[in-house]
Amino acid sequence: MSFHSRVSGTKIKRALGVQAALEWAFRIEQAQLELPLPPDVTEEGFGFGLEYVLLQRAVLGCKIDGGQHKIGGYTHEDAEVIAATVAGIPDSLGGKRMAIRVAELARAGLTPDWMPGAVPRCVPTIVKQNQHGTHAGAIVVGTERIRVRGPGARATWKTIDILACPVTFSPHPQQIEAARRGYDDWWQALGWVREGLIVGGMLREVEVTAAMPKARPWDHSKPITDIDRHRVSNTP
């Protein structure tokens, strides 16, 4: 994980992209994702949530100790702020399900599998092997009566099977599309988290930069920039 230090007043902040910041919070600091409780469940017995910690910090204007999730020490308070932001991912971007996915990927240090290099190929669904090697299998899809010449130039009728080799596409185009749609959804969620952390200004020792994972890495055309998205969104 690479970062540089930036002096802000008397404090030195570590500048991290949002993906690096998430991995630091969930993988290194082992921050816990505390999702909002369902409407029909009270908070009694669940302790203070991260939202309470943030509100108290804002009201008191002082440093609040980190949680006690990490074994052998405290979770850094900036890591808890990052976790609280992830927990607030709106339903329009996947809500709780996306928050869990973002946290799990960050904790594992992974990026969603968008199936790089995957190309649908037509392959037989039945494969057989014999002494001559491997070959595609066939199934009977119907019968046909044909007239054949018999001994003495006498014609006879014979019933034959009509064979066909069933095929499929592997990987299926819909499978590739779903994987890349999942990557794009994750990317959009990271953008929301990044903006929330930058605009919120609650981090004390970490500075989240504008750096983002590559958008649509399977698309080899010109990358889509924030300026392009703004231009498209404002097009009549």
Side-chain angles (χ1 to χ4, degrees), residues 189-226:
L190 257 62
W192 185 91
V193 171
R194 178 195 65 177
E195 293 304 312
L197 292 172
I198 293 176
V199 174
M202 299 293 290
L203 300 178
R204 295 180 179 273
E205 298 182 13
V206 173
E207 179 182 2
V208 176
T209 69
M212 283 282 289
K214 187 173 182 180
R216 300 177 62 85
W218 56 89
D219 188 354
H220 299 292
S221 60
K222 180 181 177 181
I224 300 175
T225 64
D226 290 339

Side-chain angles (χ1 to χ4, degrees), residues 3-8 10-16 21 24 29 57 63-64 75-79 81-82 201-208:
F3 58 86
H4 66 273
S5 297
R6 180 173 296 179
V7 178
S8 177
T10 59
K11 297 180 180 179
I12 299 178
K13 289 190 174 183
R14 294 186 299 175
L16 301 173
W24 169 77
E29 290 298 316
R57 178 187 297 178
K63 182 175 180 180
I64 307 297
T75 300
H76 195 286
E77 61 175 347
D78 282 354
V81 172
I82 293 173
M202 299 293 290
L203 300 178
R204 295 180 179 273
E205 298 182 13
V206 173
E207 179 182 2
V208 176

